[in-house]
Amino acid sequence: MRYKPSDFGVLEERRRIATELPWSHAVLRVLELAGYAALPCHDDAWVAARLALPRDEVRACLEALSRAGLIRWRGGRYAATAETVDMTRGAAEPRQRLKAHWLDVAAGRQRRGDPGLYSYNLVSVARGDLARLRALHVRYFHELRQIVSDSREPDCVALVAMQLFELGA
């Protein structure tokens, strides 16, 4: 996708929101749920309950998403626009902070014993095979994104946290 120069300020604002209010992206995903669409009208408490967040944090996220043009008010509730937040570009430090936030969320849920799949596999492997594992990791990520893209009438929001790195490197 090609952007006009005037778009870059909007893109940077959306990236800023994503890093300063990391739950905003999760709130956006909740607004895409079939259950939200079935509500008679918007309910901050319903959104907050889906993510186990305080209502004031949901409200701050909704206000920021609205200002950024990522959601619009329609028929008594919010609707996601076709706009996106591309976090693959821009400064590295905010992207790293955002990744750290979601890894912290995953670690906290695992520590509490919340339901989910929390896996690890500590291995010794030849460097050539580590390169193969990296390629597999990338293919898995792309296939996961395709499944998400193809999913119709979503009814839950999930966090997938993936890591692969050499220890001691």
Side-chain angles (χ1 to χ4, degrees), residues 128-142:
D129 291 329
L130 181 59
R132 290 176 56 209
L133 290 175
R134 283 188 181 114
L136 175 64
H137 188 90
V138 169
R139 285 193 313 272
Y140 168 75
F141 181 80
H142 289 296

Side-chain angles (χ1 to χ4, degrees), residues 16 46 97 113 118 141 150 167:
R16 187 191 64 72
W46 190 91
R97 253 193 353 249
Y118 304 96
F141 181 80
D150 294 343
L167 292 177

